Coordinates of all heavy atoms in Angstrom, one line a residue:
M1 N 0.8 -1.2 0.0 CA 0.0 0.0 0.0 C 0.9 1.3 0.0 O 0.4 2.4 0.2 CB -0.9 0.0 1.2 CG -2.0 -1.0 1.1 SD -3.6 -0.3 0.8 CE -3.9 0.9 2.2
A2 N 2.1 1.1 -0.1 CA 3.0 2.3 -0.1 C 3.0 2.9 -1.5 O 3.5 2.4 -2.4 CB 4.4 1.9 0.3
T3 N 2.3 4.1 -1.5 CA 2.3 4.8 -2.8 C 3.0 6.1 -2.6 O 2.9 6.7 -1.6 CB 0.9 5.0 -3.3 OG1 0.1 5.6 -2.2 CG2 0.2 3.7 -3.7
T4 N 3.6 6.5 -3.7 CA 4.3 7.8 -3.6 C 3.6 8.9 -4.4 O 4.0 10.0 -4.3 CB 5.8 7.7 -4.1 OG1 5.7 7.0 -5.4 CG2 6.6 6.9 -3.2
D5 N 2.6 8.5 -5.1 CA 1.9 9.4 -6.0 C 0.8 10.1 -5.3 O -0.2 9.5 -4.9 CB 1.5 8.7 -7.3 CG 0.5 7.6 -7.0 OD1 0.8 6.9 -6.0 OD2 -0.5 7.6 -7.6
N6 N 0.9 11.4 -5.1 CA -0.2 12.2 -4.8 C -1.1 11.8 -3.6 O -2.2 12.1 -3.6 CB -1.1 12.4 -6.0 CG -1.1 13.9 -6.5 OD1 -0.5 14.7 -5.8 ND2 -1.8 14.1 -7.5
S7 N -0.5 11.1 -2.6 CA -1.4 10.7 -1.5 C -1.6 11.9 -0.6 O -2.5 12.0 0.1 CB -0.7 9.5 -0.7 OG 0.6 9.9 -0.4
F8 N -0.7 12.8 -0.6 CA -0.8 14.0 0.2 C -1.0 15.2 -0.8 O -0.2 15.5 -1.6 CB 0.4 14.2 1.0 CG 0.3 15.4 1.9 CD1 -0.6 15.4 3.0 CD2 1.1 16.5 1.7 CE1 -0.7 16.6 3.8 CE2 1.0 17.7 2.5 CZ 0.1 17.7 3.6
N9 N -2.0 15.9 -0.5 CA -2.4 17.1 -1.3 C -1.7 18.3 -0.8 O -2.3 19.2 -0.4 CB -3.9 17.3 -1.3 CG -4.5 17.3 -2.7 OD1 -3.8 17.4 -3.7 ND2 -5.8 17.4 -2.7
G10 N -0.4 18.3 -0.9 CA 0.3 19.5 -0.3 C 0.6 20.6 -1.2 O 0.9 20.3 -2.4
M11 N 0.4 21.8 -0.8 CA 0.7 22.9 -1.6 C 1.4 24.0 -0.7 O 1.0 24.2 0.4 CB -0.6 23.5 -2.2 CG -1.1 22.7 -3.3 SD -2.3 23.7 -4.2 CE -1.3 25.0 -4.8
T12 N 2.3 24.7 -1.3 CA 2.9 25.8 -0.6 C 2.2 27.0 -0.9 O 2.0 27.5 -2.0 CB 4.4 25.9 -1.0 OG1 5.1 24.7 -0.8 CG2 5.1 27.0 -0.2
E13 N 1.6 27.6 0.2 CA 0.8 28.8 0.1 C 1.2 29.8 1.2 O 1.8 29.4 2.2 CB -0.7 28.5 0.2 CG -1.2 27.7 -1.0 CD -2.7 27.5 -0.9 OE1 -3.3 28.0 0.0 OE2 -3.2 26.9 -1.8
H14 N 0.8 31.0 1.1 CA 1.0 32.0 2.1 C -0.1 31.7 3.3 O -1.2 31.6 3.0 CB 0.8 33.4 1.6 CG 1.1 34.4 2.6 ND1 2.3 34.8 3.0 CD2 0.2 35.2 3.3 CE1 2.2 35.7 3.9 NE2 1.0 36.0 4.2
C15 N 0.4 31.7 4.5 CA -0.4 31.5 5.6 C -0.5 32.9 6.3 O 0.5 33.5 6.7 CB 0.1 30.5 6.6 SG -0.9 30.4 8.1
E16 N -1.7 33.4 6.6 CA -1.9 34.7 7.3 C -1.4 34.6 8.7 O -0.9 35.6 9.3 CB -3.3 35.1 7.2 CG -3.7 35.5 5.8 CD -5.2 36.0 5.8 OE1 -5.8 36.2 6.8 OE2 -5.7 36.1 4.6
E17 N -1.6 33.5 9.4 CA -1.2 33.3 10.8 C 0.3 33.3 10.9 O 0.9 34.0 11.7 CB -1.8 32.1 11.3 CG -3.3 32.1 11.5 CD -3.8 33.1 12.5 OE1 -3.2 33.3 13.5 OE2 -4.8 33.8 12.2
C18 N 0.9 32.5 10.1 CA 2.4 32.4 10.1 C 3.1 33.6 9.5 O 4.2 33.8 9.8 CB 2.8 31.1 9.5 SG 2.2 29.6 10.2
D19 N 2.3 34.2 8.5 CA 2.9 35.2 7.7 C 4.1 34.7 7.0 O 5.2 35.3 6.9 CB 3.3 36.5 8.5 CG 3.4 37.7 7.7 OD1 2.8 37.7 6.6 OD2 4.1 38.6 8.1
L20 N 4.0 33.5 6.4 CA 5.0 32.8 5.7 C 4.4 31.9 4.6 O 3.2 31.6 4.7 CB 5.7 31.8 6.7 CG 6.7 32.4 7.7 CD1 7.2 31.2 8.6 CD2 7.9 33.0 7.1
E21 N 5.3 31.5 3.7 CA 4.9 30.5 2.8 C 5.0 29.2 3.5 O 6.1 28.8 3.9 CB 5.8 30.5 1.6 CG 5.7 31.8 0.8 CD 4.5 31.9 -0.1 OE1 4.1 30.9 -0.7 OE2 3.8 33.0 -0.1
T22 N 3.9 28.5 3.7 CA 4.0 27.2 4.4 C 3.3 26.1 3.6 O 2.5 26.4 2.7 CB 3.3 27.3 5.8 OG1 2.0 27.6 5.6 CG2 4.0 28.4 6.7
L23 N 3.5 24.9 4.0 CA 2.9 23.8 3.4 C 1.4 23.7 3.8 O 1.1 23.8 5.0 CB 3.6 22.5 3.7 CG 3.1 21.2 3.0 CD1 3.4 21.3 1.5 CD2 3.8 20.0 3.6
H24 N 0.5 23.6 2.9 CA -0.9 23.5 3.2 C -1.5 22.2 2.6 O -1.1 21.8 1.6 CB -1.7 24.6 2.6 CG -1.5 25.9 3.3 ND1 -0.3 26.7 3.3 CD2 -2.4 26.6 4.1 CE1 -0.5 27.8 4.1 NE2 -1.7 27.8 4.5
E25 N -2.4 21.6 3.4 CA -3.1 20.5 2.9 C -4.4 21.0 2.3 O -5.2 21.7 3.0 CB -3.4 19.5 4.0 CG -4.1 18.2 3.5 CD -4.4 17.3 4.6 OE1 -3.9 17.4 5.7 OE2 -5.2 16.4 4.3
V26 N -4.6 20.7 1.0 CA -5.7 21.3 0.3 C -6.8 20.3 0.0 O -6.4 19.2 -0.4 CB -5.2 22.0 -1.0 CG1 -6.4 22.5 -1.8 CG2 -4.2 23.1 -0.7
S27 N -8.0 20.6 0.3 CA -9.1 19.7 0.0 C -10.3 20.5 -0.5 O -10.4 21.7 -0.3 CB -9.5 18.8 1.2 OG -9.8 19.6 2.2
V28 N -11.3 19.8 -1.0 CA -12.5 20.5 -1.5 C -13.7 19.9 -0.7 O -13.8 18.7 -0.6 CB -12.7 20.2 -3.0 CG1 -14.0 20.8 -3.5 CG2 -11.5 20.8 -3.8
Q29 N -14.5 20.9 -0.2 CA -15.7 20.5 0.5 C -16.9 21.0 -0.2 O -16.8 22.2 -0.7 CB -15.6 21.1 1.9 CG -14.7 20.4 2.9 CD -14.9 21.1 4.3 OE1 -15.5 22.1 4.5 NE2 -14.3 20.4 5.3
I30 N -17.9 20.2 -0.2 CA -19.2 20.8 -0.7 C -20.0 21.2 0.6 O -20.3 20.4 1.4 CB -20.0 19.7 -1.4 CG1 -19.1 19.1 -2.6 CG2 -21.3 20.3 -2.0 CD1 -18.8 20.1 -3.7
R31 N -20.4 22.5 0.6 CA -21.2 23.0 1.7 C -22.5 23.3 1.2 O -22.7 23.9 0.2 CB -20.5 24.2 2.3 CG -19.2 23.9 3.0 CD -18.7 25.1 3.7 NE -17.4 24.9 4.2 CZ -16.7 25.9 4.8 NH1 -17.2 27.1 4.9 NH2 -15.5 25.6 5.2
T32 N -23.5 23.0 2.1 CA -24.9 23.3 1.8 C -25.2 24.7 2.4 O -25.1 24.8 3.6 CB -25.8 22.2 2.2 OG1 -25.4 21.0 1.7 CG2 -27.2 22.5 1.8
E33 N -25.7 25.6 1.6 CA -26.0 26.9 2.1 C -27.5 27.0 2.1 O -28.2 26.9 1.1 CB -25.4 27.9 1.3 CG -23.9 27.9 1.3 CD -23.3 29.0 0.5 OE1 -24.0 29.5 -0.4 OE2 -22.1 29.4 0.8
S34 N -28.1 27.2 3.3 CA -29.5 27.4 3.3 C -29.9 28.5 4.3 O -30.7 28.3 5.2 CB -30.2 26.0 3.8 OG -29.6 25.7 5.0
L35 N -29.2 29.6 4.1 CA -29.4 30.7 5.1 C -30.7 31.4 4.9 O -31.3 31.9 5.8 CB -28.2 31.6 5.0 CG -26.9 31.0 5.3 CD1 -25.8 32.0 5.0 CD2 -26.8 30.6 6.7
K36 N -31.2 31.5 3.7 CA -32.4 32.3 3.4 C -33.6 31.4 3.5 O -33.7 30.4 2.7 CB -32.3 32.9 2.1 CG -31.2 34.0 2.1 CD -31.1 34.7 0.8 CE -29.9 35.7 0.8 NZ -29.7 36.4 -0.5
K37 N -34.5 31.7 4.3 CA -35.7 30.9 4.5 C -36.6 30.9 3.2 O -37.1 29.9 2.8 CB -36.6 31.5 5.6 CG -36.3 30.8 6.9 CD -37.4 31.2 8.0 CE -36.9 32.4 8.8 NZ -37.9 32.9 9.8
E38 N -36.7 32.0 2.6 CA -37.6 32.1 1.4 C -37.0 31.4 0.2 O -37.7 31.1 -0.7 CB -37.9 33.6 1.1 CG -36.6 34.4 0.7 CD -36.1 35.1 1.9 OE1 -36.2 34.6 3.0 OE2 -35.5 36.1 1.7
N39 N -35.8 31.1 0.3 CA -35.1 30.3 -0.8 C -35.2 28.8 -0.4 O -34.3 28.4 0.4 CB -33.7 30.8 -1.0 CG -33.1 30.2 -2.2 OD1 -33.7 29.4 -2.9 ND2 -31.9 30.7 -2.6
A40 N -36.1 28.1 -0.9 CA -36.3 26.7 -0.6 C -35.2 25.9 -1.1 O -34.9 24.8 -0.6 CB -37.7 26.2 -1.1
Q41 N -34.6 26.3 -2.2 CA -33.6 25.5 -2.8 C -32.3 25.6 -2.0 O -31.9 26.7 -1.5 CB -33.3 26.0 -4.2 CG -34.2 25.5 -5.2 CD -33.7 25.9 -6.6 OE1 -33.1 26.9 -6.8 NE2 -34.1 25.0 -7.6
F42 N -31.7 24.5 -1.8 CA -30.4 24.5 -1.2 C -29.4 24.6 -2.2 O -29.4 24.0 -3.3 CB -30.2 23.1 -0.5 CG -31.0 22.9 0.7 CD1 -32.3 22.5 0.6 CD2 -30.5 23.2 2.0 CE1 -33.1 22.3 1.7 CE2 -31.3 23.0 3.1 CZ -32.6 22.5 3.0
S43 N -28.5 25.5 -2.0 CA -27.4 25.6 -3.0 C -26.2 25.0 -2.4 O -25.8 25.2 -1.2 CB -27.1 27.1 -3.3 OG -26.7 27.8 -2.2
R44 N -25.6 24.1 -3.1 CA -24.4 23.4 -2.7 C -23.2 24.0 -3.4 O -23.1 24.0 -4.6 CB -24.5 21.9 -2.9 CG -25.6 21.3 -2.0 CD -25.6 19.8 -2.2 NE -26.0 19.4 -3.5 CZ -25.9 18.2 -4.0 NH1 -25.5 17.2 -3.2 NH2 -26.3 17.9 -5.2
E45 N -22.4 24.6 -2.6 CA -21.2 25.3 -3.1 C -19.9 24.5 -2.8 O -19.7 24.2 -1.7 CB -21.1 26.7 -2.5 CG -22.4 27.5 -2.8 CD -22.4 28.0 -4.2 OE1 -21.4 27.9 -5.0 OE2 -23.5 28.5 -4.6
P46 N -19.1 24.4 -3.8 CA -17.8 23.8 -3.5 C -16.8 24.8 -2.9 O -16.8 26.0 -3.4 CB -17.3 23.3 -4.8 CG -18.0 24.1 -5.8 CD -19.3 24.6 -5.2
Y47 N -16.2 24.4 -1.8 CA -15.2 25.3 -1.2 C -13.9 24.6 -1.2 O -13.8 23.4 -1.0 CB -15.6 25.6 0.3 CG -16.6 26.6 0.5 CD1 -17.9 26.4 0.3 CD2 -16.2 27.9 0.9 CE1 -18.9 27.3 0.5 CE2 -17.2 28.9 1.1 CZ -18.5 28.6 0.9 OH -19.4 29.6 1.1
R48 N -12.9 25.4 -1.4 CA -11.5 24.9 -1.4 C -11.0 25.2 0.0 O -11.0 26.4 0.4 CB -10.7 25.6 -2.5 CG -9.3 25.3 -2.5 CD -8.7 26.2 -3.6 NE -7.3 25.9 -3.8 CZ -6.3 26.3 -3.0 NH1 -6.6 27.0 -1.9 NH2 -5.0 26.0 -3.2
V49 N -10.6 24.2 0.7 CA -10.2 24.4 2.1 C -8.7 24.1 2.2 O -8.3 23.0 1.7 CB -10.9 23.4 3.1 CG1 -10.4 23.6 4.5 CG2 -12.4 23.7 3.0
S50 N -7.9 25.0 2.7 CA -6.5 24.7 2.9 C -6.1 24.8 4.3 O -6.6 25.8 5.0 CB -5.7 25.6 2.0 OG -5.9 26.9 2.4
E51 N -5.4 23.9 4.8 CA -5.0 23.9 6.2 C -3.5 24.0 6.3 O -2.8 23.1 5.8 CB -5.5 22.6 6.9 CG -5.2 22.6 8.4 CD -5.8 21.3 9.0 OE1 -7.0 21.0 8.8 OE2 -5.0 20.6 9.7
C52 N -3.0 25.0 7.0 CA -1.6 25.2 7.2 C -1.1 24.0 8.1 O -1.6 23.7 9.1 CB -1.4 26.5 7.9 SG 0.4 26.8 8.4
Q53 N 0.0 23.4 7.5 CA 0.6 22.3 8.2 C 1.6 22.7 9.3 O 2.1 21.9 10.1 CB 1.3 21.3 7.3 CG 0.4 20.7 6.2 CD -0.7 19.9 6.9 OE1 -0.5 18.9 7.4 NE2 -2.0 20.5 6.8
R54 N 1.7 24.0 9.4 CA 2.6 24.5 10.5 C 1.9 25.0 11.7 O 2.2 24.6 12.8 CB 3.4 25.7 9.9 CG 4.5 26.3 10.8 CD 5.3 27.3 10.0 NE 6.4 27.8 10.8 CZ 6.2 28.9 11.6 NH1 5.1 29.5 11.7 NH2 7.3 29.4 12.3
C55 N 0.8 25.7 11.5 CA 0.0 26.2 12.7 C -1.4 25.7 12.7 O -2.1 25.8 13.7 CB 0.0 27.8 12.6 SG -1.1 28.4 11.4
G56 N -1.8 25.0 11.7 CA -3.2 24.4 11.7 C -4.3 25.4 11.3 O -5.5 25.0 11.4
N57 N -3.9 26.6 10.9 CA -4.9 27.5 10.5 C -5.6 27.1 9.2 O -5.0 26.6 8.3 CB -4.3 28.9 10.3 CG -5.3 29.9 9.9 OD1 -6.3 30.2 10.5 ND2 -5.0 30.6 8.8
R58 N -6.9 27.2 9.2 CA -7.7 26.7 8.1 C -8.3 27.9 7.4 O -8.9 28.8 8.0 CB -8.8 25.8 8.4 CG -8.4 24.5 8.8 CD -9.6 23.6 9.1 NE -9.4 22.3 8.6 CZ -10.4 21.5 8.2 NH1 -11.6 21.9 8.3 NH2 -10.1 20.3 7.7
S59 N -8.2 27.9 6.1 CA -9.0 29.0 5.4 C -9.7 28.3 4.2 O -9.3 27.3 3.7 CB -8.0 30.0 4.8 OG -7.1 29.4 4.0
S60 N -10.9 28.8 4.0 CA -11.7 28.3 2.9 C -12.1 29.4 2.0 O -12.3 30.5 2.4 CB -12.9 27.5 3.5 OG -13.7 28.4 4.3
Q61 N -12.3 29.0 0.8 CA -12.6 30.0 -0.2 C -13.6 29.3 -1.2 O -13.4 28.2 -1.6 CB -11.3 30.4 -0.8 CG -11.3 30.7 -2.3 CD -9.9 31.1 -2.7 OE1 -8.9 30.5 -2.3 NE2 -9.8 32.1 -3.6
R62 N -14.6 30.0 -1.5 CA -15.6 29.5 -2.4 C -15.0 29.4 -3.8 O -14.3 30.3 -4.3 CB -16.7 30.6 -2.5 CG -18.0 30.0 -3.0 CD -19.0 31.2 -3.1 NE -20.3 30.9 -3.1 CZ -21.3 31.5 -2.5 NH1 -21.0 32.6 -1.8 NH2 -22.5 31.1 -2.7
M63 N -15.3 28.3 -4.5 CA -14.7 28.1 -5.8 C -15.5 28.7 -6.9 O -15.0 29.1 -8.0 CB -14.5 26.6 -6.0 CG -13.5 26.0 -5.1 SD -13.3 24.2 -5.3 CE -12.2 24.2 -6.6
N64 N -16.8 28.8 -6.7 CA -17.6 29.5 -7.7 C -17.7 30.9 -7.5 O -18.6 31.4 -6.9 CB -19.1 28.9 -7.6 CG -19.2 27.5 -8.2 OD1 -18.2 27.0 -8.8 ND2 -20.3 26.9 -8.0
N65 N -16.8 31.6 -8.0 CA -16.8 33.1 -7.9 C -17.5 33.6 -9.1 O -16.8 33.8 -10.1 CB -15.4 33.7 -7.6 CG -15.0 33.5 -6.2 OD1 -15.8 33.5 -5.3 ND2 -13.7 33.3 -6.1
A66 N -18.8 33.9 -9.0 CA -19.5 34.3 -10.1 C -19.3 35.8 -10.4 O -19.1 36.6 -9.4 CB -21.0 34.1 -10.0
Ligands
LIG1 ZN1 0.2 28.8 9.4

C-alpha cells in the first residue's frame, strides 16, 4: 500500500497566521447553504479548504466566484 503518488495534497501557500509561505493540505468540501428561508432551494457550493501544516490555521474559499 506504499504509494508515492499524490497521496498528500500538499501545496505551498501563504499563511496569514504564520505570515510565511508554508505547506498546506488542500481539499475540496461541498457545503450546503440554506441561510435564506424564502429560498427553498439548497445551494451546494464547493469550497476549497486549505490547512496550514505549520500552525493548523484553516482557510476556505468559495470556488464558484461568479
Ligand atoms: Zn500557518
Side-chain angles (χ1 to χ4, degrees):
M1 287 253 304
T3 54
T4 49
D5 60 314
N6 245 356
S7 53
F8 181 71
N9 231 355
M11 286 195 62
T12 302
E13 292 184 2
H14 182 79
C15 172
E16 287 180 14
E17 293 295 319
C18 300
D19 200 22
L20 284 173
E21 300 283 317
T22 62
L23 186 66
H24 284 70
E25 185 181 344
V26 176
S27 59
V28 175
Q29 284 185 350
I30 306 294
R31 291 190 189 172
T32 305
E33 295 182 338
S34 57
L35 299 174
K36 291 181 183 175
K37 264 190 268 177
E38 62 268 28
N39 190 355
Q41 277 190 331
F42 291 82
S43 65
R44 290 186 296 172
E45 301 287 346
Y47 279 79
R48 178 184 182 280
V49 180
S50 63
E51 183 177 309
C52 175
Q53 298 302 290
R54 186 171 181 271
C55 74
N57 181 52
R58 287 183 139 209
S59 58
S60 59
Q61 145 179 40
R62 201 185 198 143
M63 294 177 82
N64 286 350
N65 283 328

